[in-house]
Amino acid sequence: MKNTELVIKSYGAAEEDPAREKNLFKTLLLLAQLTGLNPQPRLPAGLPSWLRVLLQSLACLHSLLVIVTALQFGVLFCKTTLAILPSGELQDITDALTIMVIYSFATYASAYWCVRAKRLQRHFDYINAEYRHHSLAGVCFVNSAYASQWTRSFSTIWFICCMVGVLYWGLTPLLLGAHTLPLFCWYPFDAMAAIAYPWVYATQLFGQVIVGSSFAFGGNLYVTLCLLLLAQFDVLYCSLKNLDAHARLRSGATLQTLRTLQRQLLLSDASCELNQYAMLQEHATELQLLRRQQAQLPSTQLSDAARAALVDCVRHHRFILSCAEELEALFSPYCLVKSMQITMQLCLLVFVGVSGSREVSRIINQLQYLCLTLCELFMFTYCGELLRRHSLRAGEALWRGAWWQHAPHLRQDMLIFLLNSRRPVQVTAGKFYAMDVGRLRGVITQAFSFLTLLQKLQDKKQLGEL
């Protein structure tokens, strides 16, 4: 079946039915390029060969600098932790260990996305080429433009939040006018010397930028891909709801018949249902406009049109499942390391916040990191939960329409489709556990178990000193 979306350009007013976007990932690609997480950017075709080589070399050097800088701080804070261990000062140890965990993950994340850059670009190209902008032509429709607008806004806001959090920590000494470094760590030379201090400070500030950008990019990418998949499920479910209406439209039904169907599916109080869609909003089709555009297509038999519509929905479902498989392949190893990093970081941040000093700037810094960590954990688990639950609602969408009127022609195909749609779409952490609300509870429980252990060690040390 030829996808009618390629022929029918508009289902309603411009504010309800924006045009299709050619690139859904412009914001993400721009952030990746600016932060050194894309060592092989796609350059314009008209550039001279020498300029192309120069720009590609600069991008690779930028990515290498990001990875080496994050690795350097991970090693330095590992040495700092080992140097503090003999003292037995839990507050200093947990301070150094917290920053070591943060920079170790920043190193892993930066290297991971640089290695996966080509595969990620291919996945973006596949989605841009194959994603459905509209549901099937019928008496109501959804448009996926809202989801892409939402993801762009979210990506910008989350990136700004991450950068503000890390830069406040990095700029605190400058704001207070103190001759100190943002991060206390071991150096093989005198970092406070007049010659070395500006360079060390600039390096630490650049390291903080790397931490913010690497954390922001992973979260932005995960949320963007999840929300776009949710939007595609919404498009599929609206198409299934309009299966009968689309078949009648293709078979040449009158406007009066279509208006009756529209009242039954959309405008009747009996058919009103909350939370049919996860991301998109349903609109009534302008039937006269649609009928004029549909007149350009050849008319078909009702049974053939219904079967062709179901085949189109099956193809769309296969596209969604292939995107979900790639999402799992991209994020399964990343989420495994991310969940371990969040568990350790939550435990250490809460312990330092409870047992550490009461300086105002220090408390603000700790609260910022704690809030960002909790938000990131919620993003990964809640989006995974939404995706898992919403991927199982194909049967509900079918029962909203009158597909049963075509049951003699669709029965076997419908049963196969429903069986295939019963498998949930989910993202796992290294194939060990799903990233859902259950994992949210598990991470918080583990973090506070470790916190209790640290507090007992501190109480035991204080009793020994007495």
Side-chain angles (χ1 to χ4, degrees), residues 5-24:
E5 183 184 4
L6 301 178
V7 179
I8 299 177
K9 301 299 182 182
S10 177
Y11 291 1
E15 60 272 10
E16 294 180 351
D17 191 20
R20 180 187 177 94
E21 294 186 43
K22 294 182 179 179
N23 189 353
L24 299 174

Side-chain angles (χ1 to χ4, degrees), residues 206-280:
F206 181 56
Q208 289 295 95
V209 172
I210 292 172
V211 168
S213 61
S214 60
F215 277 61
F217 182 77
N220 280 337
L221 179 60
Y222 180 81
V223 172
T224 296
L225 291 176
C226 284
L227 295 187
L228 290 178
L229 273 182
L230 287 170
Q232 288 301 294
F233 272 116
D234 285 347
V235 171
L236 173 64
Y237 295 163
C238 189
S239 297
L240 291 171
K241 179 179 178 178
N242 277 277
L243 200 64
D244 175 60
H246 178 79
R248 296 185 184 281
L249 178 69
R250 291 298 310 276
S251 63
T254 63
L255 274 178
Q256 184 62 36
T257 302
L258 295 176
R259 288 194 179 100
T260 302
L261 283 174
Q262 190 175 66
R263 284 194 297 270
Q264 293 173 354
L265 284 182
L266 187 65
L267 305 179
S268 171
D269 292 337
S271 62
C272 288
E273 182 182 345
L274 296 177
N275 301 321
Q276 292 185 45
Y277 306 107
M279 286 293 299
L280 307 182

Side-chain angles (χ1 to χ4, degrees), residues 57 106 135 141 190 215 260 286 349 361 389-390 402 417:
S57 301
S135 54
F141 71 95
D190 184 9
F215 277 61
T260 302
E286 290 190 10
L349 285 172
S361 60
R389 288 176 177 269
H390 200 55
F417 172 73

Side-chain angles (χ1 to χ4, degrees), residues 31 53 65-66 71 121 172 176 182 270 297 363 369 405 423 443:
L31 293 178
V53 172
L65 178 63
V66 167
L71 179 61
Q121 183 63 64
T172 297
L176 297 178
L297 299 174
I363 292 174
Y369 268 81
Q405 296 184 14
R423 184 183 63 179
V443 168

Side-chain angles (χ1 to χ4, degrees), residues 370-443:
L370 181 61
C371 291
L372 289 174
T373 304
L374 287 172
C375 287
E376 193 173 30
L377 174 62
F378 181 77
M379 282 160 39
F380 275 83
T381 54
Y382 184 67
C383 286
E385 180 74 16
L386 276 180
L387 193 58
R388 183 183 67 82
R389 288 176 177 269
H390 200 55
S391 63
L392 298 172
R393 301 182 65 186
E396 297 177 24
L398 272 173
W399 286 112
R400 295 186 187 109
W403 68 271
W404 46 268
Q405 296 184 14
H406 313 281
H409 309 284
L410 303 180
R411 182 173 53 200
Q412 184 175 359
D413 297 328
M414 192 70 70
L415 289 174
I416 294 173
F417 172 73
L418 288 175
L419 285 174
N420 290 334
S421 65
R422 291 180 64 183
R423 184 183 63 179
V425 169
Q426 60 184 8
V427 180
T428 64
K431 306 294 183 181
F432 291 108
Y433 40 77
M435 295 298 290
D436 53 18
V437 174
R439 188 57 195 160
L440 172 65
R441 293 192 300 267
V443 168

Side-chain angles (χ1 to χ4, degrees), residues 15 18 21 44 149 180-181 195 256 321 409 445 449 464:
E15 60 272 10
E21 294 186 43
Q149 293 168 6
T180 58
L181 292 172
I195 297 177
Q256 184 62 36
L321 293 182
H409 309 284
T445 302
S449 298

Side-chain angles (χ1 to χ4, degrees), residues 56 58 100 117 125 161-162 203 217 219 243 312 318 335 387 419 432 459:
Q56 289 176 343
L58 289 175
M100 187 193 77
D125 292 341
C161 289
C162 290
T203 305
F217 182 77
L243 200 64
D312 189 71
R318 286 179 180 173
C335 285
L387 193 58
L419 285 174
F432 291 108
D459 294 340

